[in-house]
Amino acid sequence: MLTRFAFALSLLLVAPAAAQAPASPSAATDIVKVALDTSAGRIVLALDRGHAPVTTDNFLRYIDAGRFNGESFYRSMKFTDGGGIVQGGITTDARKLYPAIAHEPVSKTGIKHVTGTVSMAAFSPGTAKADFFILLSDIPSFDASFAAFGHVVEGMDVVKAIQTAPTSPTKGEGVMKGQMLEPVVKITKASRLAN
């Protein structure tokens, strides 16, 4: 069993949730909904542009350019208590990646790493590009290192199905060994939704 510290380190190699309380009325209205249609079903995310504009705009840039289409959820990290994360992003072609973005810490956004939160995967703060993860449990230790920018509003059952999908016992390196989905769960289409 991996400790939460080892789990946090494993993410460096590379996302019905509790909504975050908005800091201001205008920020509360600056939510952008997106759908991730996958081979396991649809996940709808509410991205919080009001509190995490840099991270949200980066994610929307990938969606608007169709760069997540045909990509996948490729990793399932499971805690013994049923929590953990599922991770997705761009793995087929590095030319689809945009430059890394500035880190928006939880201390600035107020968006905490709780069940259903979507957050950016990164080697270290300021290196996030396209990979993201969705939490299946509260992981407060992630608040110090990762940029959360929204939460699941529909399809948490799909996230749970991805988490329990088969993994390869041999794929993955280091603490990620045994966490790679086999087969991956395809993202057939990622798109904005009308709010």
Side-chain angles (χ1 to χ4, degrees):
M1 179 176 90
L2 294 175
T3 65
R4 290 187 188 255
F5 175 74
F7 171 63
L9 288 178
S10 72
L11 281 176
L12 298 177
L13 296 173
V14 197
Q20 304 300 319
S24 67
S26 63
T29 61
D30 204 356
I31 300 294
V32 182
K33 288 186 181 176
V34 299
L36 303 176
D37 291 308
T38 77
S39 55
R42 175 175 267 203
I43 302 166
V44 177
L45 304 173
L47 308 182
D48 193 340
R49 182 186 266 159
H51 292 96
V54 172
T55 311
T56 297
D57 286 345
N58 175 69
F59 198 78
L60 292 171
R61 185 179 181 196
Y62 283 99
I63 287 177
D64 293 343
R67 294 193 177 197
F68 284 134
N69 299 345
E71 294 296 337
S72 65
F73 281 94
Y74 58 84
R75 180 179 179 212
S76 171
M77 171 62 185
K78 301 173 185 81
F79 289 157
T80 56
D81 64 1
I85 62 125
V86 295
Q87 185 169 331
I90 294 176
T91 60
T92 63
D93 186 348
R95 293 173 296 182
K96 293 172 75 172
L97 296 171
Y98 294 119
I101 58 170
H103 180 63
E104 289 182 303
V106 172
S107 61
K108 176 183 173 188
T109 66
I111 306 170
K112 297 185 180 291
H113 287 87
V114 296
T115 303
T117 296
V118 60
S119 189
M120 294 302 294
F123 290 108
S124 60
T127 62
K129 292 183 179 181
D131 284 16
F132 62 95
F133 57 92
I134 299 172
L135 283 76
L136 286 109
S137 55
D138 296 358
I139 311 176
S141 61
F142 281 13
D143 289 351
S145 304
F146 300 102
F149 62 105
H151 62 277
V152 175
V153 293
E154 179 185 317
M156 203 60 193
D157 57 329
V158 177
V159 176
K160 291 175 183 175
I162 294 170
Q163 186 196 32
T164 60
T167 54
S168 166
T170 57
K171 290 183 179 175
E173 296 181 16
V175 295
M176 290 176 61
K177 186 173 184 177
Q179 298 176 8
M180 300 299 111
L181 294 172
E182 191 172 59
V184 297
V185 174
K186 285 289 186 184
I187 300 171
T188 55
K189 184 177 181 185
S191 57
R192 292 190 196 221
L193 297 174
N195 287 336

